[in-house]
Amino acid sequence: MSTTIEYVRFDSDDPEGLAAHREELVTLLKERYGDGFLGAHLARFDDGSVLDFILWADADVAARAAEEMPSDERARGFFSRVGAVHEMRHAQVLHSAA
């Protein structure tokens, strides 16, 4: 099992609405994936695009969530505010420090 980063950069016409629905999405991720979900960060770049940065316990749970979540009705408030996706990648964590 290796910690996996999910990195998604996308546009949003409503970043404030996106952020407002973020806690609902995080709650859903915790409920559905339990210990497989390790944490998440949502940020905005200077160009206005948005970064969704999620830590997963392993690549399998990351891939499963990436497939399941966009069509989950309970996550609609968040995903309905996601526009064009510029990049989505998963990466294995090689080293971490706090």
Side-chain angles (χ1 to χ4, degrees):
M1 194 158 73
S2 180
T3 303
T4 298
I5 291 171
E6 180 175 304
Y7 168 98
V8 186
R9 189 173 67 84
F10 58 91
D11 292 331
S12 177
D13 290 339
D14 185 10
E16 289 75 22
L18 185 76
H21 286 275
R22 182 60 168 189
E23 202 56 46
E24 292 172 80
L25 178 62
V26 167
T27 298
L28 178 58
L29 294 173
K30 288 176 183 177
E31 288 173 3
R32 181 175 265 186
Y33 303 105
D35 292 341
F37 172 74
L38 302 178
H41 302 275
L42 188 66
R44 187 176 0 191
F45 289 103
D46 289 341
D47 68 0
S49 64
V50 179
L51 168 69
D52 196 356
F53 186 92
I54 302 176
L55 290 173
W56 298 101
D58 62 59
D60 290 339
V61 72
R64 198 171 103 226
E67 184 176 324
E68 295 171 352
M69 284 295 92
S71 61
D72 189 303
E73 189 63 32
R74 295 172 296 168
R76 186 176 197 184
F78 181 84
F79 285 102
S80 67
R81 288 163 173 82
V82 172
V85 175
H86 299 289
E87 185 175 15
M88 179 176 179
R89 300 183 71 160
H90 289 126
Q92 180 182 3
V93 174
L94 300 176
H95 177 267
S96 293

